[in-house]
Amino acid sequence: MTTDTTVVGPTGRPSSSTILTAVNGFFDARLAGATPQELSERFHEDVDWFIQGDTGTVPWIGRKAGRAGVAEHFAQLAESIQPEGFAVDVTMADGNRALVVGTFSSRVVATGRLIDSEYVFDISVDDTGLITRYHMLEDSWAVSQAARP
C-alpha cells in the first residue's frame, strides 16, 4: 500500500506505532486478497462496526456484530462488488485512533453499475493490535443508487 502517513497527531505528540501497524496491515491484507475469516481475525470480538447507508438495498453495510459480522461483511462484499480501484491518499494517526482517506471504484455485480467514491475510515485499535472501531464514511447515495435494481 502506498500512502503518505502522518505519525504526529493534532496534539503534537507521537502516535502509537501499534495503530499504524494494525491499520496498514489490515489494508495490505485486504488488498492482497485475504479471506473474510482472515480479515475478521484482525478485529476485536466487540468491534464497533458501522458503515452508513441504505441497508435495505445494500446488504454489506450497516452495523455488524463481532468477528462473525466482520466476516459476513467481507463475504457479502466479495459476492456483490467487483473492485476496480482503491487508493489510500493519507493515513493520520494519534494515540489509538487513525483516519484513512482515499478513493475507490467498484462495480456492483447485480446491476453492472460503477460506484466512484471518496472515503474516510475511522479506525481505533487496542493495545494488542486488534481493531476495536471501524466506521466508514462514503458516498452512500452513490452506493445505494448503483445497487438499486
Side-chain angles (χ1 to χ4, degrees):
M1 174 173 70
T2 311
T3 181
D4 294 328
T5 302
T6 301
V7 294
V8 176
T11 62
R13 64 180 188 270
S15 298
S16 168
S17 63
T18 302
I19 181 80
L20 294 173
T21 299
V23 169
N24 290 334
F26 165 74
F27 282 106
D28 288 345
R30 172 82 175 99
L31 294 172
T35 67
Q37 182 61 38
E38 290 168 337
L39 292 171
S40 73
E41 292 168 4
R42 295 175 175 275
F43 290 80
H44 192 279
E45 184 57 43
D46 295 326
V47 64
D48 174 12
W49 177 286
F50 187 57
I51 302 174
Q52 296 179 11
D54 180 3
T55 57
T57 303
V58 187
W60 61 87
I61 65 171
R63 290 226 176 258
K64 301 293 183 184
R67 288 185 178 141
V70 171
E72 175 189 49
H73 163 79
F74 288 112
Q76 290 172 324
L77 197 62
E79 295 170 0
S80 304
I81 293 293
Q82 178 61 48
E84 296 200 2
F86 185 85
V88 173
D89 296 329
V90 65
T91 300
M92 297 170 279
D94 187 31
N96 72 332
R97 193 167 184 187
L99 298 176
V100 181
V101 181
T103 58
F104 73 87
S105 295
S106 298
R107 191 161 304 277
V108 178
V109 173
T111 66
R113 293 186 192 116
L114 187 65
I115 304 165
D116 282 313
S117 182
E118 295 177 334
Y119 66 79
V120 175
F121 287 96
D122 178 358
I123 300 171
S124 295
V125 174
D126 69 12
D127 291 340
T128 68
L130 293 176
I131 298 170
T132 59
R133 175 185 170 91
Y134 185 91
H135 287 210
M136 181 185 187
L137 303 171
E138 63 184 344
D139 184 348
S140 60
W141 174 257
V143 174
S144 178
Q145 292 303 301
R148 190 172 310 279

